Amino acid sequence: MTEEFPGFSYGDNDPAQSLIWNSYAIEDVHGAVEHELSFFEETSSGLYKRYDELHTQRSFAIETYVSWLEEAGFTEISVVKDFTHDRASDQDERIFFVAKKQIDQ
């Protein structure tokens, strides 16, 4: 979150729709970024309509997520890296949490 997204910029140009995506760090909130997205969609008249979105995203330490899962009643929690069964670390680009929760019936 703090290394890949701040300063990230992406554009996609398709005849029927286009996208401009810019991301910025939220300086006073650790692990948080804002994503400004502008979509341009061609209308039946041939003009383009613009849609703007602002997304805020924040990440926390692995231990924080594990603690929240435990507090919510999940067990057998494992944390693995990007589409593998290998143990994850804070340095991995993508992390998956696998957990079980007993549902009383």
Side-chain angles (χ1 to χ4, degrees):
M1 292 291 294
T2 59
E3 294 178 23
E4 297 293 325
F5 281 122
F8 174 81
S9 187
Y10 173 79
D12 188 17
N13 186 15
D14 180 89
Q17 58 193 10
S18 295
L19 161 70
I20 299 171
W21 173 7
N22 294 301
S23 297
Y24 309 94
I26 300 175
E27 297 299 328
D28 57 340
V29 182
H30 179 72
V33 294
E34 284 187 341
H35 305 278
E36 294 177 349
L37 298 109
S38 295
F39 301 92
F40 300 87
E41 186 174 58
E42 187 175 21
T43 65
S44 58
S45 67
L47 298 176
Y48 285 82
K49 184 167 183 175
R50 178 178 175 165
Y51 302 90
D52 291 311
E53 295 182 6
L54 177 65
H55 296 241
T56 302
Q57 189 173 14
R58 184 172 182 190
S59 184
F60 299 90
I62 291 173
E63 297 78 23
T64 301
Y65 290 108
V66 170
S67 175
W68 289 339
L69 287 167
E70 290 170 343
E71 288 174 20
F74 286 89
T75 61
E76 299 182 42
I77 301 166
S78 61
V79 186
V80 297
K81 57 173 89 170
D82 201 2
F83 297 104
T84 71
H85 295 285
D86 299 333
R87 186 181 188 101
S89 75
D90 283 333
Q91 302 306 307
D92 291 314
E93 187 172 314
R94 185 174 292 164
I95 298 170
F96 293 90
F97 295 84
V98 181
K100 290 185 179 182
K101 186 170 186 180
Q102 181 67 36
I103 299 175
D104 298 325
Q105 295 194 21

